[in-house]
Amino acid sequence: MSYFDEATETLPREQLAALQLNKLQTMMTHLWNTNQFYTNKWQAARVHPSDIRSLVDLARLPLTRKGELMEDQASHGPFGTNLTYPLQAYLRMHQTSGTTGVPLKVFDTNESWDWWGRCWGHVLAGAGVTSSDRLFMAFAFGPFIGFWAAVEGARKIGALMIPGGGRDSQQRLEMMREAGATALCCTPSYALRMAEVAREIGFDIRSIPLKTTIHAGEPGASVPATKQRIEHTWAARCFDHAGASEVGAHSFECQLQPGGTHLIESEFIAEVIHPLTGEAVLPGHRGELVITNLGRWGFPVIRYCTGDLVQVNLQRCQCGRTSLRFEGGVLGRADDMVTVRGVNVFPGSVENLVRNFIEVDEFRITVNKVRQMDEMDIEVELCAGTDPELIHAIATKLDAMLAFRPRVRQVAHNALPRFEMKAKRFHVKLD
Ligand SMILES: [Zn+2]
């Protein structure tokens, strides 16, 4: 079993909790009066760092929502007040991908960038990546933090990192073959896209000695059918990882792949709440992930509502890590759930079903909420030579799962968009 930091990864849970509490208290004391954003929030909530005497006291602190950070940057532009240090202390500015509006800027100091690298070290080591691996990053190295931090993780592990920015899919495939890439970092959608391009241009994907793929940016790598498809097309093991620009690289799949992702609990504290009431949700039940990062003092998030739906599993993993796991990884977005004809529909479960049909190259789901009459339309691209009757089989399977029959229709090849980052296959249209 490969660990990044075996001692902390296998700490008994009571000691892990003590470590978290100690880090939290030290950080909060440091932020008081230096970080204006959190000092203001805590003062308004009449809570002082010295009030936090156990992890149970964490619940006394106010939640932080993305909207507050956005508003803070808008009203104290351009960088906002969640900066613990003078600006010259910072090394990097990144911004969120902006899929939900104006991008949020995030900042890192030398220490916190090193912390990002350590967290990615956990992710890479967790997937069994070592210094003998050649790690290809199929990623546009732009303002989005994405795999930038994975570069630091590769350095911690000592793997050979090959940046694949500024290249199209064919060039990336050729680079990977020439360099003998053994590991690949990209979104799950893009792993499938590259495989599709390889097929179109007659490139033998098996000529790349790839063993491992590591994915982030979308929950797809924990969607069983998507994972299977990536593993089958690339003849490699596919690993999920989750993180966010505001939060850090927080969870990863270990080599045993017990059906979920480990949280790096020495660097993060997780809580799960009901997205509407804010009440704590017990392990084994689905709720919104609220996370506190412990190593980004220059731009911290404390009790941050991620909008990600998770379900905690506290059962000890056979890999020896004592950290909690998110059963099935990130299960979707709290605000992605839509109600169609009275049925709660999660895009992830529809994706899983559609991806089970290996003949489907790409798809798009649109929910039309017109005059209270909900309709769900699914457009699918089928591989060349597929019997078009297959769309009826897909509709029947969806009918059985959803208890209503969506409209499924075939569209021309390449009619639907392809994605390198943050695939958007689910749309809701209101009248
Ligand atoms: Zn494990």
Side-chain angles (χ1 to χ4, degrees):
M1 197 56 56
S2 77
Y3 299 102
F4 179 68
D5 175 12
E6 184 168 355
T8 57
E9 289 181 81
T10 58
L11 265 188
R13 289 199 61 80
E14 316 78 66
Q15 290 180 38
L16 194 53
L19 176 75
Q20 289 177 318
L21 179 63
N22 184 270
K23 284 193 178 190
L24 177 69
Q25 288 169 327
T26 316
M27 175 174 72
M28 286 185 65
T29 306
H30 186 81
L31 299 183
W32 185 255
N33 283 335
T34 56
N35 182 297
Q36 198 193 325
F37 181 82
Y38 276 104
T39 305
N40 289 351
K41 265 181 87 74
W42 297 337
Q43 274 173 341
R46 296 177 181 280
V47 53
H48 185 270
S50 61
D51 297 329
I52 308 303
R53 295 188 201 96
S54 76
L55 288 180
V56 176
D57 293 330
L58 190 62
R60 298 178 61 179
L61 299 173
L63 296 168
T64 306
R65 301 201 177 265
K66 188 173 184 179
E68 290 173 71
L69 293 171
M70 308 278 293
E71 213 168 90
D72 174 60
Q73 289 187 353
S75 56
H76 300 90
F79 304 135
T81 64
N82 190 22
L83 297 174
T84 310
Y85 309 110
L87 208 56
Q88 59 264 32
Y90 293 84
L91 291 187
R92 302 187 72 103
M93 182 186 98
H94 292 275
Q95 58 186 47
T96 54
S97 51
T99 41
T100 49
V102 182
L104 176 75
K105 292 177 273 295
V106 298
F107 298 85
D108 283 291
T109 61
N110 195 29
E111 291 74 23
S112 72
W113 194 242
D114 189 63
W115 170 81
W116 268 97
R118 287 204 307 278
C119 294
W120 262 99
H122 283 266
V123 177
L124 296 174
V129 173
T130 68
S131 59
S132 43
D133 276 294
R134 299 172 195 177
L135 182 55
F136 189 83
M137 306 274 180
F139 173 63
F141 285 89
F144 175 52
I145 206 162
F147 294 103
W148 275 110
V151 171
E152 295 303 310
R155 197 157 72 93
K156 298 271 182 208
I157 298 284
L160 181 71
M161 192 283 298
I162 310 156
R167 295 287 184 280
D168 65 22
S169 299
Q170 181 173 351
Q171 290 168 326
R172 282 169 170 164
L173 287 164
E174 283 160 2
M175 269 181 90
M176 286 172 75
R177 177 159 64 190
E178 202 209 344
T182 59
L184 166 68
C185 280
C186 64
T187 62
S189 291
Y190 192 64
L192 292 172
R193 175 60 185 157
M194 276 202 289
E196 190 188 25
V197 169
R199 205 175 64 215
E200 283 168 10
I201 62 173
F203 179 100
D204 178 14
I205 209 164
R206 305 283 167 112
S207 62
I208 300 170
L210 206 70
K211 293 183 308 203
T212 310
T213 67
I214 298 163
H215 303 288
E218 308 159 358
S222 276
V223 173
T226 305
K227 186 195 252 326
Q228 250 175 40
R229 180 179 287 215
I230 293 171
E231 295 198 328
H232 177 75
T233 43
W234 283 95
R237 286 186 71 201
C238 161
F239 291 87
D240 191 19
H241 149 61
S245 304
E246 313 90 291
V247 174
H250 59 70
S251 53
F252 65 93
E253 248 183 311
C254 69
Q255 284 167 289
L256 296 184
Q257 298 190 310
T261 50
H262 284 276
L263 176 71
I264 309 169
E265 279 192 279
S266 52
E267 308 291 354
F268 299 90
I269 301 173
E271 299 166 82
V272 182
I273 62 165
H274 189 286
L276 299 177
T277 65
E279 277 169 41
V281 168
L282 293 174
H285 296 272
R286 190 178 282 210
E288 180 177 0
L289 173 63
V290 171
I291 212 159
T292 298
N293 58 16
L294 300 168
R296 201 189 207 183
W297 292 12
F299 189 89
V301 285
I302 294 157
R303 300 201 79 212
Y304 183 72
C305 301
T306 60
D308 287 332
L309 291 172
V310 296
Q311 182 173 321
V312 165
N313 181 344
L314 283 170
Q315 239 175 31
R316 178 90 175 251
C317 183
Q318 294 294 314
C319 73
R321 288 179 181 85
T322 48
S323 51
L324 64 81
R325 277 174 289 143
F326 298 129
E327 196 72 46
V330 170
L331 300 167
R333 299 282 304 166
D335 50 8
D336 265 358
M337 191 194 81
V338 288
T339 309
V340 182
R341 300 188 200 176
V343 179
N344 290 340
V345 179
F346 286 95
S349 42
V350 179
E351 168 172 355
N352 190 37
L353 190 145
V354 175
R355 284 277 190 226
N356 262 315
F357 291 88
I358 54 164
E359 300 88 346
V360 174
D361 268 343
E362 193 51 83
F363 64 96
R364 178 164 66 190
I365 306 161
T366 309
V367 173
N368 291 293
K369 289 179 140 337
V370 182
R371 290 185 295 279
Q372 311 303 318
M373 271 298 295
D374 305 338
E375 293 288 351
M376 181 188 269
D377 288 288
I378 303 180
E379 297 157 285
V380 294
E381 279 184 32
L382 299 176
C383 300
T386 306
D387 183 351
E389 288 298 304
L390 186 80
I391 60 167
H392 299 299
I394 298 173
T396 304
K397 284 262 183 187
L398 284 165
D399 192 353
M401 180 179 83
L402 299 168
F404 68 87
R405 196 175 181 90
R407 293 185 298 219
V408 184
R409 67 186 176 95
Q410 186 180 357
V411 295
H413 197 67
N414 281 330
L416 299 175
R418 300 297 196 267
F419 303 94
E420 188 178 310
M421 283 313 300
K422 303 268 180 200
K424 186 140 183 61
R425 298 194 178 85
F426 191 80
H427 304 262
V428 177
K429 281 189 188 158
L430 304 169
D431 59 349

